[in-house]
Amino acid sequence: MLLAFDTSSAAVTVALATPGGEIVASSTTVDALRHGELLAPAIAAALASAGVTPRELTGIAVGVGPGPFTGLRVGLVTARTMGEVLGISVAGVCSLDILARQSSLTLPVAVATDARRKEIYWALYDGPAADGSRRRLEGPAVDKPAEVAHVLSGLPVIGRGAVLYGEVLGVPVDDVVEYPSAEVLATGVATRTLEVVAPDPLYLRRPDVTMSSGPKSVL
């Protein structure tokens, strides 16, 4: 069984899937301030709902961001700790890729999520292949919405950034998928239609922002 979760946004989303990608349990709670309180109980509830013990897990998939440090760290620390204790592999996936995979449109799409500080994380994607996968064409990057409005212009935009800055980006905000889905993450990793990377945090800063004296550790 594959356990998947993402805490890169205001949502804490968890799913449990069979090796073939069938979802057997899932939950999503939106609360930007309680990732640390919500993730472990959500994982326990998913396992209990499916009648699965942690020792029956064969792998873990986790969203690696980009996202705010505090929430993202909760998911990555949990994934890496569980993987170490259980002796199973941990697959990372760019959280913007997850959102792009959630789109049912047959067109190229853009993803824009909330980077706080009145900024967005964004990336551009090609139309879906036959298996539903999408190729990332540009990004991920972080910018002020007005600075990339011309890049996203004319494309459907998915993610919380479209809701917050739809007027600036010039995109409609009706029925926008706002947050990554652990169900899509689990299915995408199980069916190999999402690109897997190391479970390391994907942090982005604009070039004009002063960097701190040293990198932040996820552990």
Side-chain angles (χ1 to χ4, degrees):
M1 300 293 283
L2 175 69
L3 173 66
F5 46 88
D6 184 287
T7 59
S8 66
S9 68
V12 175
T13 178
V14 176
L16 193 64
T18 66
E22 179 184 355
I23 303 299
V24 296
S26 67
S27 69
T28 297
T29 302
V30 178
D31 190 330
L33 301 178
R34 299 178 60 221
H35 294 82
E37 299 174 45
L38 295 171
L39 181 58
I43 291 173
L47 294 173
S49 175
V52 173
T53 67
R55 289 293 175 186
E56 293 178 88
L57 295 175
T58 57
I60 296 172
V62 61
V64 301
F69 176 75
T70 302
L72 186 59
R73 178 179 59 182
V74 170
L76 288 167
V77 168
T78 300
R80 290 171 61 171
T81 301
M82 289 185 68
E84 181 70 22
V85 171
L86 298 172
I88 56 179
S89 62
V90 180
V93 173
C94 173
S95 300
L96 303 187
D97 291 0
I98 302 169
L99 270 163
R101 185 73 170 77
Q102 286 170 232
S103 174
S104 60
L105 297 174
T106 58
L107 306 168
V109 297
V111 173
T113 61
D114 183 14
R116 302 182 184 176
R117 300 183 183 89
K118 297 183 179 180
E119 297 176 337
I120 57 171
Y121 299 119
W122 63 274
L124 305 181
Y125 295 84
D126 205 347
D131 61 3
S133 62
R134 288 181 182 268
R135 182 167 56 99
R136 194 187 321 139
L137 302 175
E138 189 172 349
V142 59
D143 286 286
K144 297 288 187 183
E147 295 175 359
V148 292
H150 67 288
V151 178
L152 278 56
S153 176
L155 291 173
V157 182
I158 304 162
R160 180 65 178 166
V163 175
L164 294 175
Y165 306 107
E167 185 174 345
V168 176
L169 296 173
V171 299
V173 296
D174 294 335
D175 300 321
V176 172
V177 177
E178 295 187 46
Y179 305 111
S181 164
E183 292 190 5
V184 173
L185 170 59
T187 300
V189 170
T191 59
R192 300 182 180 180
T193 53
L194 280 171
E195 181 183 358
V196 170
V197 297
D200 297 322
L202 178 55
Y203 298 126
L204 298 177
R205 287 178 182 264
R206 295 204 310 154
D208 59 343
V209 175
T210 302
M211 296 295 289
S212 60
S213 58
K216 294 178 179 179
S217 172
V218 71
L219 295 176

